[in-house]
């Protein structure tokens, strides 16, 4: 064992994988809440309102139900076996080594490209106040700061994420309360026109048709990326049996309040025809209400959301690379933990890739920024599908008596997982139908081909690659 590695015999509060169990209930809860509030809501909702009008509220609610099914499926798996890098581990266990390999690398890709986008977005937000500072300078400063936070300790990561999420949550609750005040008491410049009837008074609840509303689902799903991050924290939670179910069970009210509730209030205060793509509906609403410095406040909140997402990306990519290395699917050097029990080398490599993205996003046209987020969405849908399929196979194994039952069973068993699988495949079809969005499917096809070649090379060198308990155990589980 090198000096950079951890003495696992002496380390307190350590998980089976050697990580420090440094995330308390307060931090896990806020990470879960923060994962449901991102730039997809603060910025992406503007373009989607222009496409779907008030019906976007229904799209967020519908997608929210599906995400809850995904998270309850994940919760059942997590309480069966709480491990860091859970998505890849469950794919490996229930679908086979190749799927664990593919899921791990694809989730890593999702967070790397998300980090690229979020750092560039953060630099743009800072330009709102300081237009003379070059964007690449701001992006580089944020990259270095968050990199340092993730290297120091998981406790510091959790604490920073706690406060990032606290800012987002407080701001959204404040926006909802102010909006309700405008609707109830009629104060502010928007008081005369604010009314619940704004939800249907301008060409109805589906002003551009059901088809146009359905096409917003791809953007809506991007807004929900990162809710599954709770699964990555499993190996570093102080008490996963208590904190994880609580975090997952609070998801419905988080979605109802922060997505459905916030958008409903905003669209009652300001009619949907006043919103346009590229403008945050929250900034626009505050401008209509006439609150001093409202736009600046929302800009700060959106900046916080971007940094929070990038912070989470660095955290999860390092853990996923270590999980892959443990199975021989990534270089062995990724297995090493630093003295603070963080996968430092994996985080460093991921940050280097995010840094390349900062440069690329600075020099390419603005449309490329959208391409990056669409690739993240496609990678996220794959991750959710693997969670759901793994859950279905796990329930089969439990019913057959081959595996112990989880202490946190999903309601409806595997039926809800089947429904969620069908929904995600439907959204994938919508992405394929959209000429701009389908670019991400071409990227994912190239990514799949590259991973397939990599797997063939690994398999030729080691036929048992990715198998921890042996092929016999895998065959015994899935039948």
């Amino acid at each position: 064992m090198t000096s950079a590695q951890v003495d696992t015999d002496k380390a307190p509060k350590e998980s089976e994988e050697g990580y420090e169990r440094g995330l308390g209930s307060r931090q896990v809860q806020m990470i879960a809440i923060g994962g449901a509030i991102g730039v997809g809501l603060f910025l992406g909702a503007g373009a989607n309102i222009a496409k779907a009008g008030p019906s976007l509220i229904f799209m967020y609610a519908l997608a929210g139900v599906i995400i809850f099914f995904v998270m309850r499926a994940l919760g059942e798996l997590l309480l069966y076996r709480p491990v860091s890098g859970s998505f890849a581990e469950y794919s490996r266990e229930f679908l086979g080594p190749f799927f664990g390999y593919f899921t791990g690398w694809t989730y890593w890709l999702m967070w790397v490209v998300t980090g690229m986008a979020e750092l560039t977005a953060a630099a743009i937000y800072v330009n709102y106040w300081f237009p003379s500072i070059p964007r690449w300078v701001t992006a580089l400063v944020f990259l270095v700061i968050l990199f340092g936070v993730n290297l120091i300790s998981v406790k510091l990561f959790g604490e920073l994420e706690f406060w990032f999420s606290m800012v987002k949550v407080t701001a959204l609750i404040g926006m909802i309360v102010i909006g309700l005040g405008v609707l109830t008491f009629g104060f502010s410049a928007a008081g005369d026109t604010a009314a619940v009837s704004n939800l249907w008074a301008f060409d109805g609840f589906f002003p551009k048709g059901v088809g146009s509303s359905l096409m917003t689902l791809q953007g809506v799903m991007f807004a929900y990326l990162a809710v599954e991050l709770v699964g990555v924290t499993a190996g570093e939670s102080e008490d996963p049996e208590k904190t994880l179910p609580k975090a997952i069970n609070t998801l419905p009210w988080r979605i109802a309040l922060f997505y459905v509730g916030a958008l409903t209030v905003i669209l009652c205060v300001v009619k949907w025809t006043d919103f346009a793509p590229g403008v945050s509906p929250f900034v626009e609403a505050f401008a209509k209400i006439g609150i001093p410095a409202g736009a600046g406040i929302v800009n700060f909140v959106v900046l916080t959301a971007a940094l929070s997402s990038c912070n989470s990306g660095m955290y999860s990519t390092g853990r996923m690379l270590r999980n892959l290395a443990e199975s021989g699917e990534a270089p062995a050097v990724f297995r090493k933990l630093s003295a603070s029990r963080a996968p430092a080398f994996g985080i460093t490599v991921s940050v280097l890739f995010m840094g390349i993205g900062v440069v690329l996003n600075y020099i390419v046209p603005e449309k490329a920024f959208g391409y990056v987020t669409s690739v993240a969405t496609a990678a996220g849908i794959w991750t959710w599908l693997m969670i759901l399929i793994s859950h279905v196979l796990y329930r089969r194994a439990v019913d057959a008596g081959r595996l112990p039952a989880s202490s946190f069973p999903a309601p409806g068993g595997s039926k809800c997982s089947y429904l969620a699988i069908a929904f995600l495949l439907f959204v994938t079809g919508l992405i394929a139908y959209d000429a701009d969005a389908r670019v991400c499917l071409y990227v994912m096809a190239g990514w799949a081909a590259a991973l397939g070649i990599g797997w063939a090379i690994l398999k030729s060198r080691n036929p048992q690659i990715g198998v921890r308990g042996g092929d016999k155990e895998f065959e015994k589980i899935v039948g």
Side-chain angles (χ1 to χ4, degrees), residues 70-111:
V70 173
M71 291 304 294
R72 281 306 303 258
L74 176 60
E76 183 166 355
L77 291 169
L78 286 171
L79 270 293
Y80 148 66
R81 189 163 68 90
V83 289
S84 187
S86 55
F87 325 118
E89 269 298 295
Y90 301 136
S91 300
R92 185 176 293 113
E93 179 177 354
F94 297 106
L95 287 158
F98 173 76
F99 286 92
Y101 159 84
F102 195 99
T103 301
W105 278 110
T106 300
Y107 195 66
W108 175 83
L109 173 71
M110 185 196 92
W111 275 113

Side-chain angles (χ1 to χ4, degrees), residues 16-200:
E16 292 178 6
E17 301 123 289
Y19 292 121
E20 177 188 6
R21 288 201 180 276
L23 295 177
S25 176
R26 169 180 64 92
Q27 293 165 327
V28 172
Q29 291 295 319
M30 198 54 76
I31 288 171
I33 292 172
I37 307 170
V39 177
L41 171 64
F42 286 120
L43 286 181
N48 287 325
I49 289 172
K51 291 179 183 177
S55 66
L56 183 64
I57 298 168
F58 177 74
M59 295 300 115
Y60 270 107
L62 175 62
V65 171
I66 299 301
I67 290 299
F68 180 62
F69 291 162
V70 173
M71 291 304 294
R72 281 306 303 258
L74 176 60
E76 183 166 355
L77 291 169
L78 286 171
L79 270 293
Y80 148 66
R81 189 163 68 90
V83 289
S84 187
S86 55
F87 325 118
E89 269 298 295
Y90 301 136
S91 300
R92 185 176 293 113
E93 179 177 354
F94 297 106
L95 287 158
F98 173 76
F99 286 92
Y101 159 84
F102 195 99
T103 301
W105 278 110
T106 300
Y107 195 66
W108 175 83
L109 173 71
M110 185 196 92
W111 275 113
V112 166
V113 296
T114 299
M116 294 178 188
E118 302 292 8
L119 281 170
T120 305
I124 293 172
Y125 302 146
V126 169
N127 272 166
Y128 176 84
W129 296 298
F130 306 104
S132 62
I133 298 178
R135 290 178 183 174
W136 70 267
V137 172
T138 308
L140 182 61
V141 169
F142 285 140
L143 185 69
V144 171
I145 292 173
L146 295 179
F147 176 49
V149 165
N150 274 271
L151 286 187
I152 293 171
S153 75
V154 68
K155 284 185 178 180
L156 184 57
F157 157 78
E159 198 62 29
L160 186 62
E161 197 59 28
F162 173 85
W163 289 108
F164 275 156
S165 297
M166 183 66 77
V167 169
K168 293 186 287 186
V169 169
T170 303
L172 268 181
I173 292 176
M175 292 174 191
I176 292 171
V177 170
I178 291 170
L180 290 174
V182 173
L183 285 169
T184 305
F185 301 108
F187 65 80
S188 89
D192 294 337
T193 57
V196 176
S197 60
N198 283 341
L199 296 178
W200 60 82

Side-chain angles (χ1 to χ4, degrees), residues 331-407:
V333 68
F334 289 122
R335 278 187 286 201
K336 292 183 178 180
L337 293 177
S338 66
S340 60
R341 282 178 261 172
F345 191 76
I347 294 172
T348 302
V349 170
S350 300
V351 166
L352 288 175
F353 275 94
M354 290 181 189
I356 294 171
V358 171
V359 177
L360 291 176
N361 275 296
Y362 176 69
I363 61 175
V364 296
E366 207 170 292
K367 200 168 186 178
F369 186 86
Y371 290 157
V372 169
T373 57
S374 67
V375 170
T377 304
I381 288 175
W382 172 270
T383 300
W384 293 333
L385 283 172
M386 290 301 99
I387 291 170
L388 293 165
I389 295 170
S390 296
H391 176 249
V392 169
L393 293 175
Y394 166 72
R395 287 304 293 253
R396 265 189 216 168
V398 170
D399 293 342
R402 294 192 295 269
L403 285 177
S406 170
S407 60

